[in-house]
């Protein structure tokens, strides 16, 4: 499973991003969203908190302001790592 660790400037990530990930990732995943709306974390400490919460065998750190355009990007990433996630 791929753990997507997202440091968010809002309490939740946008529905558009959530839907985009679901429609494009192409593998089993979990979302680990760190709410940084109150600037409690630096980006580094937010990602470290995400690592503590993650359950997947591989980690993907990302921002909350992107959208994926490549279908099956998670499956392709898994091939590059040559690991089962």
């Amino acid at each position: 499973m791929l753990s997507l660790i997202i440091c968010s400037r809002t309490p939740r990530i946008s529905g558009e991003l959530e839907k985009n990930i679901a429609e494009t990732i192409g593998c089993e995943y979990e979302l680990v969203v760190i709410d940084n709306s109150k600037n409690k974390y630096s980006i580094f400490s937010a990602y470290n908190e995400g690592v503590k919460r993650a359950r997947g065998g591989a980690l993907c750190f990302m921002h909350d302001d992107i959208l994926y355009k490549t279908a099956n990007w998670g499956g392709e990433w898994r091939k590059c790592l040559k690991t089962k996630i």
Side-chain angles (χ1 to χ4, degrees), residues 5-85:
I5 300 172
I6 304 169
C7 178
S8 181
R9 297 166 294 184
T10 58
R12 293 187 41 131
I13 62 170
S14 73
E16 180 183 23
L17 176 56
E18 228 174 310
K19 180 180 179 195
N20 173 260
I21 291 168
E23 291 176 348
T24 61
I25 194 164
C27 69
E28 184 182 4
Y29 71 97
E30 71 168 335
L31 293 175
V32 181
V33 180
I34 306 302
D35 174 4
N36 200 25
S37 59
K38 296 181 181 171
N39 293 317
K40 179 179 173 183
Y41 302 100
S42 70
I43 189 71
F44 308 108
S45 60
Y47 284 158
N48 283 333
E49 179 63 28
V51 169
K52 290 177 193 174
R53 297 181 193 180
R55 298 182 324 253
L59 307 175
C60 176
F61 300 93
M62 57 182 281
H63 291 271
D64 62 351
D65 60 352
I66 65 167
L67 294 175
Y68 292 96
K69 295 187 182 236
T70 304
N72 192 36
W73 62 268
E76 293 300 319
W77 195 68
R78 182 179 57 210
K79 285 182 197 173
C80 290
L81 292 176
K82 296 184 181 1
T83 184
K84 183 179 180 182
I85 54 174

